Amino acid sequence: MATTLTVRYFAGARAAAGLSTEPIEAGSLEALKQALTDRHGERLGVVLKAASFLVDGLACHDAQAPLPANATVDVLPPFAGG
């Protein structure tokens, strides 16, 4: 079941998406990554494959887990230097 989320992009993810924040509907992290790739293209898709995700400030490692309604998802690509 899809829920409305707010996605915030940082660093290279922001550059690939072309914006810093946007609303989108998705039910899981896997569905979110697919929806964002469909919306913004493969450049963002490559970043998403290496990115870490925070859901309402907590690390999310289970791509199939349901996302809570009205959650904020931060997309954090790998950062250079640590």
Side-chain angles (χ1 to χ4, degrees):
M1 178 179 218
T3 184
T4 301
L5 308 167
T6 299
V7 177
R8 298 188 308 184
Y9 300 101
F10 294 88
R14 179 183 288 182
L19 50 109
S20 60
T21 187
E22 71 178 315
I24 194 163
E25 290 191 8
S28 67
L29 190 58
E30 190 63 39
L32 175 63
K33 292 191 289 187
Q34 185 61 56
L36 293 173
T37 300
D38 292 346
R39 182 179 284 186
H40 296 288
E42 192 54 35
R43 181 175 174 212
L44 180 60
V46 169
V47 172
L48 295 175
K49 289 177 185 174
S52 297
F53 299 88
L54 300 180
V55 178
D56 288 337
L58 300 173
C60 181
H61 302 289
D62 183 354
Q64 302 305 319
L67 295 171
N70 302 311
T72 297
V73 179
D74 295 330
V75 180
L76 307 169
F79 293 95

